[in-house]
Amino acid sequence: MGQNRLHKLSRSFYDRPTLEVLADIIGKVIVYNSPRGELSARITEAEAYIGESDPACHAAVGKTERNGVMFGPAGYSYIYFIYGMYHCLNFVTEQKDHPAAILLRAARPISGVEIMRRNSPGKKDVELLNGPGKFCRSFGLTRRQNGLDLAGNELYLGDDGFKSPKLVKTTRIGIQKARDLPWRYYEAGSDYISCK
DNA sequence: TGAATGATGCGCT
DNA sequence: GCGCATCATTCAT
């Protein structure tokens, strides 16, 4: 498990080919200094959405008000509202005008579990963060946190030395277009993923 | 235990 | 108006 001191990742971590970032992001710690207190979790599952030529990527329709952050520089949050009731958190990767992002799909709680339980009443701990919508609900993330600089102090990723022993690489969940691309990575054997 | 479906609002055509 | 990077509930087996 990674008991070392947490090192905050800088913009250069995100400013790389998205699939490299995706492989490296599994096992990293996400920290959110929310109004209710600090929350943190270890990332177990994520997906890549890469460029205007990826039909499933929101950037495929060109730059709009909603997806604008993805067209900016790497290292910012992209949070959107979906299905009338859920939010999804992404990390913007690659350079300006190369729209791409990584969707955070699942994580294992580390700190602030009491806050997560309050945000998602009636859930078992293993169900607090095992899905993109559930993650944002338990963390209390909404569009208000869209466009945050991940090099800042409110929302960021950290490395504590933990390395996921093995990754599973498979197809993305919940999309209808480009279903064959193996751009969903998750930690093999983890109980804290959205689905097998 | 797995498949089907309803909830619910907003961005984009 | 339609479709959506979801989830909880319902219904069938």
Side-chain angles (χ1 to χ4, degrees):
Chain A
M1 301 264 153
Q3 267 71 18
N4 302 334
R5 181 171 161 68
L6 193 69
H7 159 71
K8 187 195 292 184
L9 298 172
S10 63
R11 194 168 321 285
S12 59
F13 174 83
Y14 308 94
D15 190 4
R16 293 186 291 151
T18 304
L19 293 180
E20 289 182 20
V21 185
L22 179 60
D24 288 348
I25 219 168
I26 306 299
K28 295 295 187 290
V29 177
I30 178 167
V31 180
Y32 176 41
N33 284 297
S34 84
R36 293 178 151 181
E38 188 197 89
L39 299 148
S40 69
R42 191 175 305 284
I43 296 173
T44 54
E45 175 186 343
E47 289 177 356
Y49 290 86
I50 310 177
E52 296 175 86
S53 60
D54 172 4
C57 181
H58 289 173
V61 298
K63 187 176 180 179
T64 67
E65 175 102 35
R66 176 168 84 144
N67 66 23
V69 236
M70 262 201 296
F71 286 78
Y76 287 82
S77 64
Y78 168 46
I79 302 181
Y80 60 85
F81 184 63
I82 189 95
Y83 295 119
M85 60 186 89
Y86 299 108
H87 295 271
C88 292
L89 167 65
N90 299 254
F91 310 107
V92 175
T93 58
E94 315 221 17
Q95 307 98 304
K96 187 173 185 302
D97 297 323
H98 290 255
I102 291 172
L103 169 70
L104 175 48
R105 289 196 53 89
R108 176 160 59 84
I110 296 176
S111 69
V113 185
E114 297 293 339
I115 302 171
M116 299 178 202
R117 291 185 189 124
R118 198 165 358 133
N119 288 340
S120 296
K123 292 290 163 199
K124 300 179 217 161
D125 285 2
V126 75
E127 299 169 329
L128 289 170
L129 307 176
N130 66 340
K134 287 188 267 187
F135 178 90
C136 284
R137 185 181 59 197
S138 296
F139 260 56
L141 291 167
T142 69
R143 277 171 294 184
R144 298 218 325 269
Q145 286 77 39
N146 184 46
L148 286 181
D149 186 352
L150 303 174
N153 291 318
E154 188 173 353
L155 181 67
Y156 60 90
L157 295 185
D159 185 348
D160 64 357
F162 175 85
K163 287 271 184 269
S164 284
K166 189 168 177 13
L167 299 186
V168 177
K169 303 181 178 182
T170 181
T171 52
R172 297 176 291 184
I173 302 287
I175 53 168
Q176 300 308 314
K177 302 167 191 165
R179 302 179 73 159
D180 51 321
L181 294 174
W183 289 355
R184 170 179 176 239
Y185 293 9
Y186 65 87
E187 184 182 307
S190 175
D191 292 327
Y192 296 85
I193 56 176
S194 63
C195 58
K196 307 260 165 63

